[in-house]
Amino acid sequence: MNNNDTIKKTLIVAVSLCLVCSALISFSAVELRDLQEANKTLDKQSKILSAAGLLKEGGDVTELFESIEARIVNLETGKFDYQINLDEYEESAFSRNPSTSIELTANNDIALLKRRENFQTVYLHYSMEKLNAIILPVRGYGLWGTMKGYLALQPDLKTIIGLEFFDHKETPGLGGEIDNPKWKATWKGKEVYSDSGDVLIRVIKGSVDRSSSQAKYQVDGLSGATITSNGVTNLLSFWLGDMGYGPLINTLKDQESKDV
Amino acid sequence: MSKAKEVLLNPLFNDNPIALQILGICSALAVTGTLYITLIMCVALTTVVTLSNLFVSLIRNHIPTNIRIIVQISIIATLVMLVDEVLQAFDYESSKTLSVFVGLIVTNCIVMGRAEAFAMKNGPLMSAIDGFGNGLGYSVILIIIAIIREFIGAGTFYGIEIMPLTTNGGWYLANNFFLTPASSFFIIGFTIWALRQWKTEQIEEPEFKISKNSLETEKRAI
C-alpha cells in the first residue's frame, strides 16, 4: 500500500490537477477566440451573400461583403435607427431585454418566438449607388428548434432573390432539406405580397401547379417534413407582416414613390 | 505477435468496443447520418481516448484510489473541451453539426472504460497504443454504419451522388428511415451478427436453454 490515500496527497493531486486543466482550457479558449469569432462572422456573412445571390464560387467573402451595408431598423416605426451602434447590437440580448422587446400574444406569435426585439439589423446591397437587394434576418420555430435565416428581396420589395438558413435543428434528409440547393433555388422570383399588401408566400404540401394564378406565391413542400415546411411559411408570414418588417417595407415604398 | 501490435489491433475486430463490449452506442446512433461528420467524430474520439489514456497512465502511480474516477473524468473533460475549441476554430461547419455530440464524448463509455481498465495498470506508451486501437475499433464500426446509412438514406457516398434521388430528378426514392438514428440499431445488430459469424469465438454461451416443448414430450409418452 503506497501513501497515495492520505488526505494530504489527495488534496495535492486534486488541486494541482484542477489548476493544470483550467490553465490549459483558459489558454486554448483565449488563443483560439479570434479564430472562432472570425469563423462565426464569416459564416454569417457568407449566408447573407448567398441569400442575395452574391456569393461567387471561390470569391472572398470578406471582400464581397464590403458592398453590403448593415443598418439598424426600428421595427415599431419602420424607420432606420442611427442611435444604436451596429457592433453593440446583439439579437439575443435585445429580444430578451424587456425594455428593447415586446411580448407576443398567442394571436400574433405565428412563428412561436415568444418575444420580439424592437430593433433588427437589415442589410442593403447597392450597386452603382442603386439599391440592388435588401436582406432581412428571419427566424421561427420548425420541428426541433428555431430556424434562423436570411431572406433577400429585390428593390421592388416583393420579389424574392433567395432564402438561406444558417442555423436550424431539423432532421437531416427531411426538414434538413431546407439547405438543399435545388429547393432553395425554387424560391427565386417568387413574390411575397399580393397587390393589396397581404403576405401570400407559402410553402405548400406537394408540388406547385405552375398553371395556377397562385403559383408565384407558392413553393414546393419538403416531402416528409410538413412541420418544417409550415414553420417556414409561418416565419415568413410573421416577419413580412405588421409585427415584422411590414412597417419598414412601407417606409421604403413611400420613400421610393417620393423619389419618383 | 508483439504485445504492442496485439494491443493496437485487438480492438479492431477481436475485442471491438462497440461490437463486443457494446460501449459507446449512443454516439454510434447519433452522428452516423453522413460519412463526413462521422469521420470528424471518429478523429475527435480517437484523439481524446489516446491522450486520456496517456495522461491517466502517466500519473497513475499518484492517483489516490478514492478520487480516481473524478481524476479520470477531469482529464477526459479537459481534453474534450480542447477538441471542441479546436474544432470551432478550424472546422466551424462540422462543429455546428456535431455541436453537443463532441461534448458528449465525456460520457462515452469507451474513453472512461479504457482509462479505468487499461491505463490505470499499464505504462504510458502501451496505454496510448491501447487508446488509439480502441479509437480505431470505434471508428471502424461507425464508418460502416455511416456508409450504409448515407447510401440508403440519401443515395450518396461521402457527399458524392451515387444513386440520383427522385427529388433531384433521378430514379432513387430515398429510404428516409435510414436517416433517423433508430436505423443504426439494426445496422449495429447486423454488424455484430456478421462479426460473430466470422469470429465464432465471440458467440456467447446462452444464459439459459429453452426446454423441450412439453406437449411434444407428453405426446411421445403417450
Side-chain angles (χ1 to χ4, degrees):
Chain A
M1 184 80 194
N2 52 23
N3 56 355
N4 272 348
D5 287 331
T6 58
I7 291 180
K8 197 175 154 200
K9 179 79 187 249
T10 309
L11 280 176
I12 291 174
V13 171
V15 170
S16 43
L17 182 79
C18 290
L19 282 178
V20 173
C21 290
S22 48
L24 270 172
I25 296 205
S26 326
F27 178 74
S28 74
V30 172
E31 279 297 298
L32 296 173
R33 187 185 296 145
D34 290 346
L35 263 173
Q36 293 170 352
E37 289 297 320
N39 273 337
K40 270 181 203 150
T41 324
L42 206 64
D43 184 58
K44 205 174 122 185
Q45 291 180 343
S46 67
K47 287 288 151 63
I48 294 173
L49 287 168
S50 146
L54 299 167
L55 196 63
K56 294 183 201 86
E57 195 72 39
D60 185 62
V61 173
T62 324
E63 209 171 279
L64 289 169
F65 200 74
E66 276 167 14
S67 63
I68 290 192
E69 190 186 329
R71 275 196 211 166
I72 303 271
V73 61
N74 183 328
L75 294 179
E76 299 279 301
T77 62
K79 294 198 169 65
F80 290 119
D81 184 298
Y82 299 99
Q83 310 296 324
I84 299 168
N85 191 334
L86 268 170
D87 298 327
E88 282 165 20
Y89 177 80
E90 207 180 316
E91 182 184 281
S92 55
F94 270 67
S95 62
R96 268 198 306 268
N97 186 341
S99 65
T100 52
S101 63
I102 55 161
E103 194 165 348
L104 297 169
T105 59
N107 289 330
N108 56 24
D109 192 11
I110 31 183
L112 305 178
L113 300 171
K114 293 199 182 81
R115 299 192 74 85
R116 190 219 65 196
E117 60 282 3
N118 294 337
F119 300 92
Q120 250 304 350
T121 329
V122 298
Y123 302 88
L124 306 167
H125 176 253
Y126 288 94
S127 72
M128 318 259 190
E129 311 246 321
K130 262 186 72 183
L131 185 65
N132 195 27
I134 175 162
I135 302 129
L136 310 165
V138 291
R139 66 179 196 280
Y141 214 77
L143 176 59
W144 302 116
T146 305
M147 308 181 281
K148 297 181 180 176
Y150 293 104
L151 173 75
L153 294 179
Q154 287 191 359
D156 68 359
L157 300 170
K158 64 175 188 185
T159 312
I160 295 180
I161 302 175
L163 175 70
E164 185 84 30
F165 288 96
F166 66 94
D167 187 18
H168 67 80
K169 298 180 177 59
E170 303 312 293
T171 325
L174 301 172
E177 290 292 296
I178 51 176
D179 285 336
N180 183 327
K182 285 236 161 78
W183 186 70
K184 286 190 292 193
T186 60
W187 285 88
K188 197 172 181 204
K190 299 285 176 187
E191 291 182 19
V192 291
Y193 292 113
S194 68
D195 294 334
S196 55
D198 298 318
V199 185
L200 287 187
I201 186 77
R202 53 182 321 198
V203 183
I204 62 163
K205 218 174 157 73
S207 326
V208 175
D209 174 11
R210 276 175 217 290
S211 57
S212 139
S213 63
Q214 295 296 304
K216 62 179 176 181
Y217 304 119
Q218 293 176 342
V219 174
D220 290 354
L222 295 165
S223 57
T226 309
I227 300 177
T228 308
S229 304
N230 291 344
V232 174
T233 305
N234 291 342
L235 73 91
L236 288 180
S237 315
F238 177 84
W239 285 104
L240 292 166
D242 296 337
M243 295 304 291
Y245 300 109
L248 168 72
I249 284 169
N250 288 335
T251 320
L252 290 174
K253 269 191 188 148
D254 289 348
Q255 266 176 13
E256 205 171 291
S257 52
K258 265 178 222 157
D259 287 351
V260 174
Chain B
M1 224 202 287
S2 74
K3 179 97 193 301
K5 206 173 162 193
E6 200 178 313
V7 167
L8 178 69
L9 296 179
N10 246 354
L12 280 186
F13 297 109
N14 292 332
D15 189 16
N16 189 288
I18 294 186
L20 188 68
Q21 303 167 28
I22 322 286
L23 295 175
I25 298 289
C26 10
S27 55
L29 301 182
V31 298
T32 47
T34 54
L35 188 54
Y36 178 68
I37 293 298
T38 308
L39 287 176
I40 300 276
M41 183 67 183
C42 291
V43 172
L45 184 113
T46 309
T47 316
V48 169
V49 70
T50 310
L51 292 177
S52 83
N53 262 12
L54 174 69
F55 290 126
V56 168
S57 172
L58 275 175
I59 58 165
R60 72 185 186 285
N61 294 328
H62 298 280
I63 301 179
T65 16
N66 288 335
I67 57 163
R68 66 176 201 287
I69 303 283
I70 304 173
V71 169
Q72 290 162 11
I73 285 282
S74 310
I75 292 175
I76 297 166
T78 310
L79 289 166
V80 168
M81 284 166 89
L82 286 178
V83 166
D84 199 19
E85 296 275 345
V86 170
L87 208 56
Q88 275 183 35
F90 294 102
D91 192 355
Y92 186 69
E93 276 297 309
S94 14
S95 91
K96 264 199 338 192
T97 326
L98 279 169
S99 63
V100 63
F101 295 108
V102 172
L104 283 178
I105 294 178
V106 179
T107 61
N108 194 310
C109 325
I110 298 171
V111 188
M112 182 83 190
R114 293 328 289 173
E116 174 71 4
F118 197 94
M120 288 298 281
K121 301 181 194 91
N122 293 281
L125 181 65
M126 217 38 122
S127 298
I129 294 174
D130 174 77
F132 190 67
N134 274 281
L136 288 184
Y138 170 88
S139 308
V140 166
I141 303 289
L142 250 73
I143 290 169
I144 293 175
I145 303 171
I147 289 176
I148 298 176
R149 278 184 64 184
E150 192 184 324
F151 187 65
I152 303 181
T156 57
F157 174 74
Y158 200 67
I160 304 160
E161 191 171 71
I162 306 281
M163 304 191 282
L165 293 178
T166 45
T167 47
N168 292 349
W171 52 271
Y172 180 63
L173 181 64
N175 186 335
N176 288 337
F177 171 66
F178 278 83
L179 294 172
T180 60
S183 65
S184 309
F185 271 121
F186 293 88
I187 303 171
I188 293 175
F190 280 115
T191 314
I192 293 176
W193 171 77
L195 195 62
R196 288 180 187 193
Q197 289 302 308
W198 174 35
K199 305 235 175 223
T200 42
E201 68 276 9
Q202 292 186 11
I203 301 175
E204 290 154 39
E205 279 293 311
E207 281 172 20
F208 56 86
K209 285 202 171 96
I210 298 170
S211 64
K212 271 202 177 142
N213 191 322
S214 58
L215 274 177
E216 254 172 40
T217 43
E218 270 168 35
K219 250 185 222 163
R220 229 164 268 163
I222 298 164

